[in-house]
Amino acid sequence: MVPPTSLLTKLKVQLKLSIARLRMVQQKDEAVSKQQRRAMSTLLEAGKIESARIRVENIIRSDILTELHEILELYCELLLARTGLMEGPVCDPGLEEAVKSIIYAAPRTEIKELQNVRQLLVEKYGKEFTVNVMEGPKGQVSEKVLRKLEVRPPGQELVEGYLEEIARTYGVDYPSKPSDPGAPPDYLDDDDEPSSGGQAQKNLEEPILADGGNKGAKEDQLSRATPPRNFGPASPLRVNPPSPSTDNPHPRVKVGTLDLKPSKKMETANKGGTESKGPVGGTIPDVDELAKRFAALKK
């Protein structure tokens, strides 16, 4: 029988080698998977959908195997960190799942270092322990490991999901399966009750307010309202600006309700426009002249 110390030493060495080997295999599988995905995008771009659906199963299986290697790598790291619990002849409860999962999954992989770890674990815990694990893995081996080791074709949804993801990654137009729209949704405002929606809208638009609320609303509306032009006392002097056209270039001046008309002297001056040296159409009287005219009217 091999002494426990030398067996644990060998186990540590093989666990380290297994971890390094598993990581190397994962990196290689990821590189191969990228090449396969690129080739799959070429098939999708060429319109070979049926061929792509068959070949994508290899990519799915490769991803499942990579996930299994990741789980086994974690179990190897756990055993390497807890080798102090493996000195006794009985497997520690904290290590049972990792030990049994490696014993069950190692023969189903191509990792030679992992198979060496399994051989040392069988030698450590005995053949009866190993037979019990191999014959009844359920309840002893990790459920994740059992699912990854199942040999069955992938589902249609998984295949379509992979193809859509590959097409999206490489910018390929993949005709995804149209979804069933199903029955139309039931609307609350149907044709049988046309007045319910209108009544609800009316209630929303006209809420019931208290007296204070009505008063505040009225004040708010008054503050926003624009006052009319004839609101307040009228100015005694108002000058209408001339229109943009040349038909009425002279502004009219009103004092109260009295309309001031130009005098005969101004009309004579306006008629002889060609002889006048002033601006065309006469000049607008200034404030002093208007005041003089207003005083003359009072007399």
Side-chain angles (χ1 to χ4, degrees):
M1 184 176 178
V2 181
T5 54
S6 60
L7 190 145
L8 289 179
T9 303
K10 291 181 180 180
L11 185 60
K12 287 181 180 179
V13 174
Q14 293 300 325
L15 286 172
K16 292 179 181 179
L17 294 175
S18 298
I19 293 171
R21 180 67 175 174
L22 286 168
R23 291 176 180 174
M24 188 183 302
V25 171
Q26 291 175 36
Q27 294 177 357
K28 181 180 178 181
D29 291 344
E30 289 178 357
V32 174
S33 178
K34 288 182 179 179
Q35 296 178 358
Q36 292 178 345
R37 291 171 188 266
R38 191 176 295 109
M40 200 64 54
S41 66
T42 305
L43 290 177
L44 294 176
E45 189 174 3
K48 300 179 180 180
I49 307 299
E50 296 299 329
S51 179
R53 286 176 180 171
I54 295 174
R55 296 187 181 184
V56 78
E57 294 185 5
N58 294 329
I59 300 177
I60 296 174
R61 186 58 195 170
S62 177
D63 290 349
I64 293 175
L65 188 60
T66 301
E67 294 174 0
L68 175 64
H69 290 163
E70 292 177 357
I71 296 173
L72 295 178
E73 179 189 349
L74 292 176
Y75 284 148
C76 290
E77 291 179 353
L78 178 63
L79 294 180
L80 183 61
R82 299 181 180 180
T83 50
L85 301 176
M86 302 175 66
E87 295 179 355
V90 182
C91 183
D92 188 87
L95 301 176
E96 280 188 1
E97 182 178 342
V99 171
K100 293 179 179 179
S101 298
I102 291 176
I103 291 175
Y104 183 81
R108 295 167 172 80
T109 63
E110 298 179 357
I111 310 299
K112 183 179 179 180
E113 292 80 3
L114 194 62
Q115 295 177 5
N116 294 336
V117 171
R118 179 185 184 274
Q119 184 178 356
L120 292 174
L121 291 175
V122 171
E123 186 177 353
K124 170 67 177 174
Y125 296 109
K127 293 183 178 180
E128 185 178 356
F129 180 84
T130 305
V131 172
N132 188 20
V133 172
M134 299 301 293
E135 292 182 353
K138 290 186 178 180
Q140 302 184 73
V141 182
S142 173
E143 292 292 336
K144 293 182 180 179
V145 174
L146 293 177
R147 287 198 301 269
K148 304 303 179 184
L149 291 174
E150 289 180 353
V151 181
R152 60 180 181 181
Q156 185 67 22
E157 295 182 359
L158 184 60
V159 172
E160 292 294 332
Y162 262 74
L163 292 178
E164 291 177 2
E165 181 65 22
I166 292 172
R168 186 187 63 82
T169 303
Y170 292 94
V172 179
D173 294 334
Y174 174 68
S176 58
K177 184 177 180 182
S179 58
D180 186 11
D186 296 334
Y187 295 100
L188 296 177
D189 189 10
D190 51 4
D191 296 338
D192 296 337
E193 298 179 359
S195 60
S196 60
Q199 186 66 26
Q201 184 69 17
K202 184 177 180 181
N203 293 336
L204 290 175
E205 292 178 354
E206 298 180 359
I208 299 175
L209 300 175
D211 296 339
N214 291 332
K215 185 177 180 181
K218 290 181 179 179
E219 292 179 355
D220 189 17
Q221 292 179 0
L222 290 175
S223 63
R224 295 180 181 179
T226 303
R229 295 182 178 180
N230 55 359
F231 182 77
S235 175
L237 183 64
R238 182 171 70 252
V239 178
N240 293 334
S243 60
S245 62
T246 58
D247 296 336
N248 185 22
H250 306 289
R252 294 188 308 167
V253 181
K254 287 187 178 182
V255 178
T257 58
L258 182 62
D259 190 3
L260 297 182
K261 297 182 180 180
S263 61
K264 293 182 179 180
K265 191 179 292 185
M266 292 180 63
E267 290 178 356
T268 305
N270 291 336
K271 288 180 180 179
T274 54
E275 300 175 358
S276 176
K277 297 181 180 180
V280 179
T283 58
I284 300 174
D286 55 3
V287 178
D288 296 333
E289 184 177 356
L290 292 175
K292 291 179 180 179
R293 293 181 183 178
F294 186 72
L297 289 173
K298 286 184 177 181
K299 293 180 181 180

